[in-house]
């Protein structure tokens, strides 16, 4: 890690470089201006932090130039940035700020209403509002600060905390994963080599910077490679290509459903008229990645690397469609049974790449070797669980448990199969929601698909699917049954018992499908639900509307078996 140095050294290297460094609307800051602005803010930080406080800065901003400026400032000062999610509210937002021991909060006028209700863990004078004239007056005395001098005083090292990245768990309060300057710099160096980042590149940051994707996979490689970043306050599918053309963007990162939103925009004859070279992210899926390449002429690379830094897979030119990649040299990753830690058999795929033995091949991805996981801030229980301590005596203590389901084919390629929280157990058979989603994604009338478990009224789970339908499309149960029957890789337990149809899938602030909301609503949602009372499998499934009478009768069955509380899990 030390060989890659620190983020502070990379910020210092921007000094004297007058090429573009950050673009935002009509504003362009040079690399030199970014370094100078970071030094000024780091000097202000040194005079503002109370003695003895943790050097943690909460940043509650959209993607505006102040965000990378404060990232640079934290690096020079040996401080850490906690990205605060603006979609959090009230006591939850105040909890995130307090949990990460933020001694200073950087925000903007648009987000001030979020701070009106909760009791903040710092006095109001340590809330800096970047678009308030008083903020510029506050910065002015520090504008002559030099990055080298600030870094010498802050004494940052590769081990210095740099980021407190909140991870979105399916239940409970978000955890703040630690990321040191050395780990962030190492990630930047790795992606520069992997993506071939050039000094004349422009990285388009349209994913929220409070999330690890934009900082680790977008800002860090740009900083290492000497490239510029172009900032979009918030992701907009309709503004994507105009922004790319305006800023000359060559690379972008994505998470969640961003790619699907882009594909849902009306096709235009100039869809390939842009400078984009590549996209890098997660959860686009093989089908949509192929559609994106066909329409926009841009190859999407699906990567895998946890925000915690515990495991990563490396894509190579021979990686087959649908796979993530192989082990990086020296790594020891495996797919194991989550209960026993035993390595599972390799997956068998047919000629079309369809999984034939998912029941025995799908398990949790673990790193049995050395990982760069640095723990969670003030959460030893979660740290212990991630490193195998969550079940006393379980094999694999000391490994890094990713919480993600994978299978590994006979050629050694790893394939993502969902989250451990997205496992379903139907008639004693274990299923992965992502595998069913990959199949249902072929259904032409649907623009988006989410599969999740609803408790069976007696034992185990039942499969429920949410389908976002194209404009003007209506759910045709006979057509859907014919589609299911035509899918050779749809197992006998995979056909959805319930189908919810809606205009758009609910998403989180990072454009990931809001699975918790879908699971909790289940079949009690306001949108139309269709169901197959007999659940006879893909060949014999038949769907009819799920009526109020059906709901009443089914809820009574849950009550009879004392399983009603499971509906709210």
């Amino acid at each position: 890690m030390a060989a890659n140095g620190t983020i502070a050294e990379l910020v210092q290297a921007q000094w004297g470089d007058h090429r573009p460094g950050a673009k935002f609307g009509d504003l362009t800051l040079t690399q030199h201006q970014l370094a100078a602005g970071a030094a000024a803010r780091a000097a202000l930080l040194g005079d503002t932090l109370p003695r003895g406080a943790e050097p943690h800065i909460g940043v509650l901003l959209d993607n505006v130039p102040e965000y990378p400026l404060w990232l640079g400032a934290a690096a020079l000062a040996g401080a850490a940035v906690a990205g605060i999610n603006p979609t959090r509210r009230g006591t939850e937002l105040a909890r995130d700020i307090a949990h990460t021991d933020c001694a200073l909060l950087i925000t903007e006028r648009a987000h001030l209403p979020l701070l009106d209700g909760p009791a903040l863990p710092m006095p109001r004078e340590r809330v800096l509002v970047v678009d308030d004239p008083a903020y510029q007056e506050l910065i002015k005395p520090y504008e002559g600060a030099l990055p080298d001098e600030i870094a010498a005083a802050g004494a940052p090292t590769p081990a210095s905390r740099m980021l407190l990245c909140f991870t979105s768990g399916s239940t409970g309060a978000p955890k703040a994963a630690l990321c040191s300057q050395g780990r962030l710099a190492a990630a930047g160096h790795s992606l520069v080599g992997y993506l071939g980042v050039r000094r004349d590149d422009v990285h388009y940051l349209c994913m929220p910077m409070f999330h690890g994707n934009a900082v680790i996979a977008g800002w860090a490689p740009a900083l290492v490679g000497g490239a510029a970043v172009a900032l979009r306050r918030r992701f907009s599918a309709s503004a994507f290509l105009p922004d790319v053309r305006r800023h000359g963007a060559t690379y972008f990162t994505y998470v969640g459903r961003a790619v699907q939103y882009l594909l849902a925009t009306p096709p235009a004859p100039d869809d390939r008229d842009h400078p984009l070279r590549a996209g890098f992210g997660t959860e686009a899926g093989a089908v949509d990645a192929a559609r994106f390449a066909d329409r926009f002429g841009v190859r999407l690379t699906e990567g895998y690397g946890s925000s915690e830094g515990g495991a990563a897979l490396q894509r190579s030119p021979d990686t087959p469609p649908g796979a993530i990649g192989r082990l990086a040299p020296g790594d020891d990753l495996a797919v194991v049974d989550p209960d026993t830690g035993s390595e599972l058999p390799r997956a068998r795929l047919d000629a079309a790449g369809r999984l034939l033995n998912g029941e025995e091949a799908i398990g949790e991805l673990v790193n049995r070797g050395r990982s760069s996981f640095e723990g969670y801030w003030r959460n030893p229980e979660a740290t212990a669980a991630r490193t195998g301590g969550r079940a006393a005596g379980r094999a694999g203590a000391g490994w890094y448990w990713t919480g993600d389901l994978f299978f590994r084919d006979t050629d050694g390629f790893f394939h993502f199969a969902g989250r451990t929280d997205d496992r379903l157990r139907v008639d004693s058979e274990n299923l992965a929601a992502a595998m069913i989603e990959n199949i249902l994604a072929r259904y032409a009338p649907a623009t988006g698909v989410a599969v999740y478990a609803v408790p069976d009224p007696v034992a185990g789970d039942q499969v429920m699917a949410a389908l976002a339908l194209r404009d003007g499309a209506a759910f045709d149960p006979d057509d859907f049954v014919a589609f299911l029957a035509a899918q050779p890789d749809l197992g006998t337990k995979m056909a959805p018992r319930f189908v919810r149809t809606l205009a758009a899938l609910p998403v989180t602030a990072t454009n990931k499908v809001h699975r918790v909301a879908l699971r909790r609503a289940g079949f009690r949602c306001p949108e139309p639900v269709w169901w197959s009372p007999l659940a006879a499998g893909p060949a014999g499934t038949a769907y009819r509307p799920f009526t109020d009478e059906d709901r009443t009768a089914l809820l009574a069955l849950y009550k009879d078996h004392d399983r009603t509380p499971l509906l709210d899990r």
Side-chain angles (χ1 to χ4, degrees):
M1 195 184 295
N4 294 296
T6 64
I7 297 296
E9 290 167 342
L10 296 169
V11 174
Q12 290 169 264
Q14 294 179 305
W15 187 263
D17 186 344
H18 296 285
R19 296 175 307 111
K23 302 180 179 186
F24 178 74
D26 295 327
L27 174 68
T28 297
L29 297 176
T30 66
Q31 302 276 356
H32 177 82
Q33 287 173 316
L34 288 174
R41 285 154 182 78
L44 169 64
L45 178 63
D47 284 350
T48 307
L49 280 178
R51 187 179 299 276
E54 292 288 352
H56 294 176
I57 311 160
V59 178
L60 177 61
L61 295 172
D62 292 334
N63 288 8
V64 295
E66 287 287 344
Y67 216 122
L69 285 169
W70 275 100
L71 286 171
L76 292 174
V81 166
I84 306 301
N85 183 346
T87 67
R88 301 270 283 172
R89 293 292 185 272
T91 56
E92 289 185 341
L93 184 138
R95 175 264 171 200
D96 292 348
I97 298 169
H99 175 68
T100 45
D101 293 307
C102 293
L104 195 69
L105 181 65
I106 314 300
T107 190
E108 54 189 310
R109 287 176 177 173
H111 295 320
L112 285 178
L114 300 178
L115 307 177
D116 285 344
L120 291 176
M122 79 274 289
R124 287 282 172 165
E125 58 265 25
R126 290 209 298 273
V127 176
L128 306 186
V129 184
V130 299
D131 48 357
D132 190 312
Y135 173 77
Q136 297 304 325
E137 292 300 314
L138 193 63
I139 290 284
K140 218 175 254 186
Y142 301 96
E143 287 179 348
L146 299 175
D148 290 358
E149 294 178 358
I150 296 295
T157 70
S160 298
R161 286 192 298 272
M162 175 71 212
L163 300 175
L164 296 162
C165 293
F166 281 110
T167 62
S168 53
S170 58
T171 58
K175 304 180 292 290
L178 299 172
C179 179
S180 65
Q181 289 209 29
R183 181 159 81 83
L184 186 57
H189 280 281
S190 176
L191 284 170
V192 163
Y194 180 59
L195 299 167
V197 175
R198 305 188 297 248
R199 283 167 61 83
D200 60 349
D201 276 333
V202 177
H203 291 195
Y204 182 48
L205 304 186
C206 54
M207 296 292 100
M209 292 189 73
F210 66 77
H211 188 264
N213 168 273
V215 175
I216 297 171
W219 179 75
L223 185 66
V224 171
V229 296
L231 301 162
R232 175 81 193 177
R233 181 176 281 276
R234 296 185 194 89
F235 173 74
S236 166
S238 61
F240 181 85
L241 279 182
D243 269 1
V244 163
R245 294 174 182 130
R246 176 185 193 179
H247 298 303
T250 55
Y251 164 81
F252 77 105
T253 65
Y254 60 88
V255 290
R257 291 187 48 78
V259 168
Q260 288 84 357
Y261 291 144
L262 293 171
L263 289 170
T265 59
D270 61 350
D271 277 343
R272 288 184 171 226
D273 181 15
H274 57 73
L276 270 182
R277 189 173 74 246
F280 179 78
T282 61
E283 300 181 43
V287 172
D288 285 330
R291 291 173 179 165
F292 196 88
D294 288 343
R295 177 172 166 185
F296 298 106
V298 178
R299 179 177 61 88
L300 299 183
T301 299
E302 286 279 290
Y304 179 81
S306 61
S307 298
E308 292 91 340
L313 293 168
Q314 195 170 70
R315 193 174 185 87
S316 56
D318 61 338
T319 300
I324 299 297
R326 282 192 176 111
L327 296 174
D331 284 352
D332 184 15
L333 271 63
V335 177
V336 305
D337 183 308
D339 297 318
T340 67
S342 303
E343 188 164 359
L344 296 176
R346 297 292 179 96
R348 299 194 310 273
L349 307 176
D350 66 13
R354 291 163 179 163
L355 180 63
L356 301 175
N357 62 331
E359 168 67 14
E360 65 176 4
I362 294 175
E364 186 169 351
L365 182 70
V366 299
N367 185 350
R368 300 181 296 195
R370 183 179 179 183
S371 83
S372 57
F373 175 54
E374 296 170 317
Y376 296 108
W377 179 252
R378 298 204 190 285
N379 198 333
E381 295 83 5
T383 299
R386 187 62 77 186
T387 53
R390 58 190 173 199
R394 186 179 73 172
W399 296 349
Y400 177 83
W401 293 75
T402 66
D404 292 327
L405 299 174
F406 272 78
F407 58 89
R408 190 180 188 184
D409 64 30
T410 53
D411 293 321
F413 290 101
F414 288 81
H415 302 245
F416 180 70
R419 313 293 183 193
T420 52
D421 289 335
D422 295 332
R423 282 184 298 176
L424 305 87
R425 190 165 179 82
V426 179
D427 291 341
S428 300
E429 183 173 330
N430 291 316
L431 304 174
M435 303 305 299
I436 306 174
E437 287 177 355
N438 289 341
I439 297 169
L440 299 187
R442 305 169 195 154
Y443 186 54
T447 60
V449 176
V451 170
Y452 45 99
V454 293
D456 184 271
V458 178
D461 299 313
Q462 295 178 353
V463 180
M464 185 163 185
L467 303 181
L469 300 178
R470 299 185 185 281
D471 288 344
F475 182 71
D476 183 334
D478 294 333
D479 179 59
F480 188 65
V481 168
F483 163 80
L484 294 177
Q487 308 309 306
D489 50 342
L490 187 74
T492 58
K493 308 296 184 185
M494 292 182 177
R497 182 75 177 272
F498 300 94
V499 177
R500 174 183 178 181
T501 59
L502 63 178
L505 297 176
V507 294
T508 66
T510 54
N511 293 307
K512 293 185 178 182
V513 174
H514 201 323
R515 297 181 185 279
V516 174
L518 289 170
R519 279 198 298 265
R520 287 178 178 166
F523 52 75
R524 300 173 295 175
C525 56
E527 292 86 5
V529 173
W530 299 73
W531 79 316
S532 176
L534 299 179
T541 304
Y543 292 94
R544 65 172 175 80
F546 186 66
T547 65
D548 291 341
E549 291 77 13
D550 291 329
R551 183 181 294 106
T552 299
L554 191 57
L555 289 173
L557 192 57
Y558 280 95
K559 184 177 181 180
D560 290 343
H561 291 273
D562 198 25
R563 287 175 65 84
T564 301
L566 295 179
L567 294 171
D568 296 315
R569 65 182 178 181

